[in-house]
Amino acid sequence: MVFLAVASIARAHVVPNMTIEAEFDSAGGYTLRINVDPRTFLATDPTSLPPVPGSWYLEQTPEQVAATHEKAQQYLASSLGLLVDGKKASLPACKIQAMDGADNTPLTADTQEVHLLGTASGQLPAVSATFQIDFAKEANTSLILLHSQAGKTELRPQVVFPGETSRPFQLKLVAAAVAPEDTPASKANNIYLIITISVTCIVIITGWLLLSHYRHHHRAHRKPGAGKM
């Protein structure tokens, strides 16, 4: 409360921004890593507050930390919408953690500016083609969006302002290979092939036995001297 009271009479500060790293895998899974400055949900006008020091977060009780995380969750849910092939979807619940806003390292007592990292994961519908972020008009900051897929990062980040929608990101999903099902016709063909092979083997074995028997019988009854001149 003291921090907010002092900040309310301070001069305007630099507008904070939000950054999102959207990562996609070839199986349709995605992860959004959202870097949010707490000033965006602590004040209607974030520029009225100076950067929030790490001590503000570290000195909170567990109940206060939970309340802070809930405020961040509500802010993100109201500011960010997902568009998959142009169809709206809600932002999944985020896992929130505090970090040093200067270099994204773990929060310490020396941190001069604390940020919160929200991580949301989900699964896209099969054969999805495009992904976009719908940034609400009520969002009081700008958005820097960076995509990556299968380990390859998009070279040009997008800058999105409140009320805008990011340009479509083309997804390259790889459908999982599915083994063909056995149809009644294929099963019948397999049975027919087995029967044919079995009958052929039986015929060959029977013919060989009959031929062997015939040769043995013919040799046993051949007259002495037969075949000589």
Side-chain angles (χ1 to χ4, degrees):
M1 295 298 295
V2 174
F3 165 75
L4 295 179
V6 173
S8 64
I9 60 175
R11 64 182 178 83
H13 294 80
V14 177
V15 179
N17 58 44
M18 181 190 303
T19 62
I20 298 180
E21 297 179 9
E23 181 179 346
F24 303 87
D25 61 40
S26 58
Y30 71 88
T31 299
L32 305 179
R33 296 181 180 86
I34 310 167
N35 185 327
V36 58
D37 190 314
R39 288 181 288 171
T40 55
F41 58 83
L42 290 177
T44 303
D45 179 10
T47 62
S48 65
L49 302 179
V52 182
S55 58
W56 169 82
Y57 185 91
L58 293 173
E59 293 172 2
Q60 293 184 8
T61 65
E63 292 76 16
Q64 290 172 330
V65 168
T68 297
H69 288 189
E70 181 60 26
K71 288 179 181 179
Q73 190 83 251
Q74 293 175 357
Y75 173 76
L76 293 176
S78 63
S79 300
L80 300 173
L82 311 183
L83 292 175
V84 182
D85 292 337
K87 298 179 181 179
K88 291 185 178 181
S90 300
L91 178 73
C94 297
K95 178 182 178 182
I96 307 292
Q97 66 182 90
M99 64 181 183
D100 193 308
D103 52 13
N104 298 340
T105 57
L107 188 64
T108 69
D110 297 327
T111 296
Q112 299 298 309
E113 182 176 351
V114 61
H115 282 193
L116 298 180
L117 176 65
T119 304
S121 299
Q123 186 72 26
L124 297 174
V127 300
S128 298
T130 61
F131 178 89
Q132 295 170 272
I133 294 291
D134 184 21
F135 204 33
K137 292 180 180 180
E138 296 73 23
N140 51 8
T141 185
S142 58
L143 169 64
I144 299 175
L145 176 61
L146 186 63
H147 299 96
S148 65
Q149 185 166 209
K152 295 183 179 180
T153 302
E154 188 179 38
L155 296 179
R156 184 163 60 95
Q158 299 184 45
V159 178
V160 186
F161 295 98
E164 296 184 345
T165 300
S166 66
R167 66 176 180 266
F169 178 71
Q170 301 298 321
L171 300 169
K172 299 177 182 179
L173 305 183
V174 178
V178 179
E181 295 183 0
D182 286 336
T183 62
S186 64
K187 290 181 179 179
N189 290 337
N190 291 338
I191 295 174
Y192 176 76
L193 179 62
I194 293 173
I195 293 175
T196 302
I197 294 175
S198 300
V199 171
T200 302
C201 291
I202 292 173
V203 170
I204 293 174
I205 294 173
T206 302
W208 182 79
L209 292 174
L210 289 175
L211 180 60
S212 298
H213 178 75
Y214 170 78
R215 289 177 175 174
H216 177 75
H217 180 76
H218 180 72
R219 290 172 181 172
H221 292 80
R222 188 172 56 180
K223 294 180 180 181
K228 294 181 180 180
M229 294 300 296

